[in-house]
Amino acid sequence: MHRVQALFALKWQKCSCLATRTIKVLGIETSCDDTGAAVVNKHGDVLGEGFHSQREMTVRLGGVIPPIARSLHTEHIDRVVRTALEQSNLQLTELDAIACTVKPGMPLSLLVGLRHAKRLVTESRVPFIPIHHMRAHALTIRMTDRVNFPYLVFLLSGGHCLLALVRGVEDFSIIGESIDDAPGEAFDKIARRLKLKNLAECSGMSGGESLQHVASQGDPLSFIDRFPSIMGKYRDCNFSFSGIKTTAVRLIAKEEEKHGIVGDGILPNVADVAAAFQLGLTRHLVRRLLRCMIFIEQKELLKAGEMTLVLSGGVACNSFIRQVIGQVCESNGYTLKVPSPKLCTDNGIMIAWNGVEYLKAGMGVAPDPGSVDIEPKCSIGESIIDQVIDMNIKVPRFKIDLAKIS
């Protein structure tokens, strides 16, 4: 550990008033298309929050356009941070640290947050804590629920899909990850292909939200035979979504031809197609998760009776997926924990809380804030995927009880 960081950690470890002192951290998040800032204390209380969503622009453009996202971050970040500070009734110099997402994410967006954070650190001389976006998602649940290390985390978002064992604030072991796309990206693409934004009931919704909404009105078994098991011969816990997207696109094209749909027209059975796609994707998640749980049991990585699965990331807001994962957990002796929908999506609160976790652990402070740079691509931890493959685990069939899905 760098000498400056070691001295700061020692200061916190030796501080006799640490148990009573209320740590306060400002968190800044700009990894993708939402600008977030929040001040959080060591008890998990949100003292102030500012937020600007780019959803309207993203929906209108059909996706995130990096230069536009950067421009909107630049336009709103000062106001968003100022709002969080004003609500907290704190001055910059009263903070114990400023935390900011620096990895992974969209380069142009990450730079906006980092540059703003560096300016604030220079002005206030407050310690700076660089934050890993996905680790922040994984740790957020500890702000609202009593979840002790170690635990299993399942991160599902528009840019990531991974299973990892969390042993500490910086101690993550990857058990499975996507080899191509992410579930959120798959939902968005199929929602666009189904032209769901043309439905009045889906106005203003993201692709993932609109697909879940429409799927809830359909029969998931109507086309399920079109979505066979994915990566069935691979004895790991990795994920792939490119194939299921291709299958869905071909199915939609075939149904449109069958029903004579052209231009902006919507399939009469659009709800059934959406429901079948959602179920097919969920079954893939379940199969990989089951192998992961068997691996953890055989390696005794979690204690029986104390096994927790944390489901987080934007796709964790999908009620269908959340309930199915709940069934898997119930059948395998896991307690399922899911942050509130607000905390599942990108926000400044989780970044601030990650900063709090670092300070409480006496670590994470950058010895030289000026030298900190962004890392657009960055692993969440070390991979133990080869260990999974070596065990050659066969996964038993799991029947999703659709009658229990509300």
Side-chain angles (χ1 to χ4, degrees):
M1 186 183 290
H2 191 283
R3 184 171 182 272
V4 175
Q5 187 174 352
L7 289 173
F8 185 83
L10 189 62
K11 168 189 171 184
W12 279 95
Q13 291 166 355
K14 289 187 174 182
C15 180
S16 61
C17 60
L18 181 59
T20 57
R21 177 169 179 171
T22 302
I23 301 171
K24 302 172 290 295
V25 176
L26 168 66
I28 299 174
E29 157 64 25
T30 63
S31 66
C32 189
D33 60 338
D34 287 329
T35 313
V39 178
V40 175
N41 66 20
K42 76 172 185 178
H43 303 296
D45 301 318
V46 180
L47 307 181
E49 182 187 12
F51 187 78
H52 178 265
S53 173
Q54 297 183 20
R55 172 186 290 192
E56 183 179 342
M57 180 67 72
T58 301
V59 171
R60 190 192 321 160
L61 297 175
V64 180
I65 310 299
I68 294 177
R70 174 186 58 186
S71 297
L72 291 173
H73 280 309
T74 302
E75 178 183 348
H76 296 284
I77 190 167
D78 186 67
R79 174 186 57 80
V80 167
V81 172
R82 197 170 354 105
T83 297
L85 287 170
E86 289 175 353
Q87 288 183 5
S88 70
N89 292 317
L90 293 170
Q91 299 297 317
L92 277 174
T93 52
E94 296 179 279
L95 297 170
D96 293 288
I98 294 174
C100 177
T101 304
V102 300
K103 58 186 176 183
M106 292 167 43
L108 297 180
S109 293
L110 286 170
L111 282 170
V112 176
L114 178 58
R115 287 168 179 165
H116 193 82
K118 282 185 176 181
R119 181 172 64 79
L120 297 180
V121 168
T122 300
E123 291 176 3
S124 63
R125 297 187 178 277
V126 168
F128 178 58
I129 303 178
I131 299 295
H132 190 298
H133 179 79
M134 299 311 294
R135 288 178 181 172
H137 270 303
L139 295 168
T140 302
I141 192 67
R142 286 166 49 86
M143 188 182 89
T144 57
D145 293 65
R146 189 169 184 175
V147 177
N148 298 321
F149 299 124
Y151 58 86
L152 177 63
V153 66
F154 199 176
L155 296 179
L156 303 172
S157 70
H160 302 273
C161 181
L162 62 88
L163 285 160
L165 186 67
V166 188
R167 297 188 180 91
V169 179
E170 280 192 333
D171 191 351
F172 288 72
S173 296
I174 303 170
I175 301 174
E177 61 186 350
S178 176
I179 62 173
D180 45 46
D181 305 315
E185 188 272 340
F187 274 114
D188 287 342
K189 179 173 182 177
I190 301 309
R192 288 196 299 272
R193 184 59 187 83
L194 287 169
K195 296 166 280 190
L196 299 184
K197 69 177 182 178
N198 294 338
L199 295 172
E201 61 195 272
C202 294
S203 176
M205 291 184 181
S206 67
E209 287 175 324
S210 60
L211 194 140
Q212 179 194 338
H213 172 73
V214 172
S216 67
Q217 305 167 37
D219 177 9
L221 299 178
S222 56
F223 293 102
I224 195 58
D225 60 313
R226 307 290 182 88
F227 295 95
S229 175
I230 304 169
M231 300 178 72
K233 295 181 180 180
Y234 291 82
R235 296 299 173 87
D236 54 36
C237 300
N238 289 338
F239 305 86
S240 174
F241 301 96
S242 59
I244 194 169
K245 288 192 300 181
T246 300
T247 298
V249 168
R250 289 174 178 169
L251 172 61
I252 295 167
K254 186 174 182 178
E255 287 298 303
E256 287 181 338
E257 182 180 1
K258 174 182 175 181
H259 293 281
I261 302 298
V262 296
D264 290 337
I266 304 290
L267 283 170
N269 57 350
V270 64
D272 291 342
V273 175
F277 169 74
Q278 180 175 252
L279 177 58
L281 187 147
T282 304
R283 288 169 67 180
H284 177 49
L285 298 177
V286 166
R287 189 168 183 81
R288 315 315 280 181
L289 174 59
L290 283 169
R291 177 173 282 118
C292 174
M293 288 178 166
I294 295 172
F295 170 75
I296 286 175
E297 180 183 4
Q298 293 185 359
K299 298 284 282 187
E300 298 182 343
L301 299 177
L302 295 176
K303 291 183 180 179
E306 299 179 15
M307 300 183 295
T308 298
L309 171 67
V310 173
L311 181 65
S312 192
V315 179
C317 295
N318 183 296
S319 176
F320 182 86
I321 291 178
R322 193 167 61 245
Q323 291 180 70
V324 171
I325 298 300
Q327 291 182 15
V328 176
C329 286
E330 185 177 355
S331 297
N332 289 274
Y334 276 74
T335 298
L336 177 63
K337 295 287 187 178
V338 188
S340 66
K342 177 179 178 179
L343 294 179
C344 279
T345 54
D346 295 348
N347 60 86
I349 296 173
M350 70 177 189
I351 305 305
W353 174 253
N354 199 176
V356 169
E357 289 260 38
Y358 268 121
L359 288 186
K360 290 166 72 173
M363 58 196 298
V365 174
D368 179 13
S371 66
V372 175
D373 201 357
I374 62 168
E375 294 182 53
K377 294 183 179 180
C378 181
S379 176
I380 197 173
E382 68 163 343
S383 173
I384 57 173
I385 294 172
D386 286 345
Q387 295 181 33
V388 180
I389 296 173
D390 290 342
M391 292 186 71
N392 196 30
I393 299 169
K394 293 183 179 180
V395 180
R397 180 180 175 82
F398 182 85
K399 183 175 177 56
I400 297 172
D401 192 343
L402 294 174
K404 291 185 178 180
I405 305 295
S406 58

